[in-house]
Amino acid sequence: MSSILTQYIPSPSQPNPLFNKIGLYTSPHLRFVRERIRINNEPLSEELFAKYFWEVWDKLEESARAKGEPTDKTAKPSYFRFLTVMAFHTYIRENVDAAIIECGVGGEYDPTNVIQQPSVSGITSLGIDHVQLLGNTIEEIAWHKAGIMKEGTPAYTVPQLPAAQDVLERRAVQKSVHLSTVQNNPLLQNIKLGLSAPFQHSNASLAIKLASAHLQSLSYPLPSLFPSNLPPEFIRGLEQVRWPGRCEIRREKGIAWHLDSGHTLESIHLAASWFASEIAPSSLPPQNQHHPSSPPSTPTNNTNPKSNIRTPPCILLFNQQTRDAPSLARALFSTLSTTLSTPHPFTHAVFCSNLTFKASGYRPDLVSINTDRQKVEGLEVQKGLRDTWGQLDAECTVEVKGSIAEAVGWVRGVAEQERKGTEVKCLVTGSVHLVGGFLEVLDGGGE
């Protein structure tokens, strides 16, 4: 939606701008906390981030002193709440014309849910996540998500599981909200989306509805052919949208890194389906290169050492530190082995912690306080994943590494052993923190 609305700010392709600044607040961040607070799709600069951080911080302390209360951390909201307050403060101070605010966890009790009269509300595909706060069932989660709907404001959702859809519709009635379900827009078949995965058609269709609803709330005259034809601003926004770490491919010599920060059962399934659609059939480990009654082929330096099968490597780089990692790994394996019709979707797999570098540790913006330090240092999760994957595919070469940089180095080592002209495919997935740290390593963050 932000990519569409920013097509209406001043630019060579927009001689009649409607806006000057569009805000976008999202979470979590990949590499820098500044990514959460964006203006015109760009993260807040270091200077502005520091300026507005201290304005909010000082105002909270001033307020505490005026009440005769302590000015220590008890006078400050928690991390996410502070950043949410700071985002609103930033957008007010920067005079943004519109802001897209993404909920952090749930909706009903989320810190972002203080906007009384938004121009429009949207609910993307729901899955099981944050169960400690939202509940263990899709019905409970849908109840929380429906909390962002406000009386007098149109609301849109993509098709949901029947149980979730029923909850959303009942809550819409209770709130006197007109809730519409958005099907995939057929016009997207003729548009090359910046986020190319098949499931992004659902997100793009919802974004079209939300952007058009916001423009209509401003009495902006959309073309008379809309929605039979999309305005050029919508098309450019859909084609130019980028989101690092989501359905992203990065290439270096000999390796195509496929990145997706999926970290729930639903998003891991989508990430696996996207990866399967992207890799060439020649990259897949063959199930059988010879008839069972025939002698096996002679191993070469390009063989899977456990199977004597000559294959271009297809590698998994995976971690998930706080959720049910084995279940996510099994879901990933199941989706890929079914979609690709092979019991060996990867020739190699490496499991690492989210520690960015072995020597210097985490990049400051990537430190997580929600992990057990002893388990991280002991690589307990990674060793468990190694065992899980070994049970799923005994022919896969599996490694455990203590840091993301070491895992990347290991993958590069595998690629270096390949003949010239061979491109190794590597899927990096399982955690936002993993993908963020990976990008830090890949972009030369250094020890």
Side-chain angles (χ1 to χ4, degrees):
M1 182 179 176
S2 177
S3 184
I4 292 173
L5 293 184
T6 50
Q7 302 304 315
Y8 291 89
I9 66 175
S11 72
S13 58
Q14 182 53 266
N16 301 303
L18 177 64
F19 307 120
N20 285 309
K21 295 180 180 180
I22 300 295
L24 175 64
Y25 179 60
T26 61
S27 60
H29 59 272
L30 270 181
R31 296 177 63 187
F32 313 105
V33 67
R34 297 181 292 108
E35 297 166 3
R36 297 179 181 229
I37 305 174
R38 295 174 181 257
I39 295 177
N40 293 345
N41 293 325
E42 292 296 326
L44 212 58
S45 68
E46 290 183 352
E47 293 76 15
L48 285 179
F49 187 91
K51 173 184 177 181
Y52 294 133
F53 176 94
W54 288 113
E55 285 185 0
V56 172
W57 184 275
D58 292 344
K59 182 62 73 173
L60 289 170
E61 293 204 338
E62 179 185 323
S63 176
R65 279 193 293 268
K67 297 183 211 177
E69 297 175 353
T71 59
D72 60 9
K73 65 180 182 180
T74 60
K76 317 293 190 308
S78 60
Y79 179 78
F80 181 73
R81 290 182 178 182
F82 184 94
L83 289 175
T84 301
V85 172
M86 181 180 161
F88 288 135
H89 175 74
T90 298
Y91 295 146
I92 292 170
R93 295 278 275 114
E94 286 292 311
N95 294 312
V96 301
D97 300 289
I100 298 98
I101 307 296
E102 180 192 50
C103 285
V105 177
E108 180 72 29
Y109 304 120
D110 191 80
T112 62
N113 196 28
V114 295
I115 303 172
Q116 297 302 308
Q117 199 67 42
S119 62
V120 63
S121 301
I123 299 175
T124 57
S125 182
L126 302 182
I128 303 295
D129 198 14
H130 301 295
V131 294
Q132 300 91 337
L133 297 173
L134 306 182
N136 296 302
T137 67
I138 196 67
E139 293 92 340
E140 291 173 299
I141 290 170
W143 185 91
H144 281 274
K145 298 290 185 180
I148 68 170
M149 295 189 290
K150 300 293 191 297
E151 183 176 354
T153 294
Y156 295 91
T157 179
V158 298
Q160 308 285 354
L161 292 172
Q165 186 76 27
D166 181 62
V167 172
L168 294 180
E169 291 177 356
R170 282 192 282 108
R171 290 214 72 194
V173 172
Q174 294 168 0
K175 290 171 166 284
S176 300
V177 170
H178 179 69
L179 175 66
S180 301
T181 301
V182 180
Q183 305 296 330
N184 278 5
N185 192 316
L187 297 177
L188 295 176
Q189 300 299 326
N190 301 317
I191 297 174
K192 186 176 181 180
L193 298 179
L195 298 175
S196 59
F199 71 86
Q200 293 291 353
H201 280 232
S202 175
N203 291 332
S205 300
L206 180 61
I208 290 170
K209 283 290 188 182
L210 296 177
S212 61
H214 180 67
L215 291 174
Q216 288 168 345
S217 74
L218 302 175
S219 300
Y220 182 80
L222 290 168
S224 59
L225 293 178
F226 185 82
S228 300
N229 287 290
L230 294 177
E233 291 87 355
F234 280 55
I235 295 173
R236 286 198 304 271
L238 294 168
E239 291 178 339
Q240 295 174 11
V241 64
R242 298 291 183 271
W243 200 252
R246 192 63 168 150
C247 303
E248 182 182 9
I249 300 176
R250 296 274 191 111
R251 280 186 161 87
E252 63 180 65
K253 185 178 179 181
I255 309 175
W257 303 98
H258 292 70
L259 318 179
D260 193 277
S261 52
H263 54 277
T264 65
L265 288 173
E266 292 78 12
S267 58
I268 278 289
H269 167 72
L270 294 173
S273 299
W274 165 72
F275 181 64
S277 71
E278 288 289 336
I279 61 177
S282 60
S283 302
L284 304 182
Q287 296 182 53
N288 288 290
Q289 291 276 337
H290 59 274
H291 191 274
S293 61
S294 304
S297 57
T298 302
T300 72
N301 63 356
N302 191 37
T303 59
N304 182 327
K306 295 185 180 181
S307 64
N308 291 339
I309 295 175
R310 189 174 187 277
T311 63
C314 190
I315 305 174
L316 171 66
L317 198 167
F318 183 93
N319 189 45
Q320 173 47 246
Q321 201 68 41
T322 58
R323 292 173 171 82
D324 187 349
S327 293
L328 292 178
R330 284 189 286 268
L332 177 67
F333 178 87
S334 176
T335 299
L336 279 172
S337 59
T338 300
T339 305
L340 301 175
S341 300
T342 174
H344 312 297
F346 295 103
T347 56
H348 302 71
V350 56
F351 302 103
C352 66
S353 74
N354 289 334
L355 187 72
T356 317
F357 300 105
K358 179 181 180 180
S360 56
Y362 295 97
R363 189 189 184 284
D365 285 30
L366 299 176
V367 174
S368 175
I369 63 172
N370 297 319
T371 56
D372 185 317
R373 181 176 178 180
Q374 189 172 10
K375 287 184 178 180
V376 172
E377 292 177 348
L379 300 176
E380 292 183 22
V381 171
Q382 291 68 39
K383 291 172 183 177
L385 285 166
R386 176 190 59 194
D387 296 342
T388 297
W389 204 266
Q391 295 167 6
L392 294 169
D393 184 0
E395 293 193 3
C396 182
T397 301
V398 182
E399 281 284 329
V400 168
K401 296 295 180 183
S403 69
I404 298 170
E406 291 174 284
V408 170
W410 184 80
V411 173
R412 286 172 171 162
V414 173
E416 287 175 1
Q417 296 175 13
E418 290 306 300
R419 66 187 186 279
K420 290 183 179 180
T422 298
E423 186 177 63
V424 171
K425 315 289 186 184
C426 181
L427 174 63
V428 183
T429 194
S431 163
V432 175
H433 300 289
L434 170 67
V435 173
F438 170 84
L439 288 172
E440 180 69 13
V441 172
L442 202 67
D443 289 345
E447 282 280 1

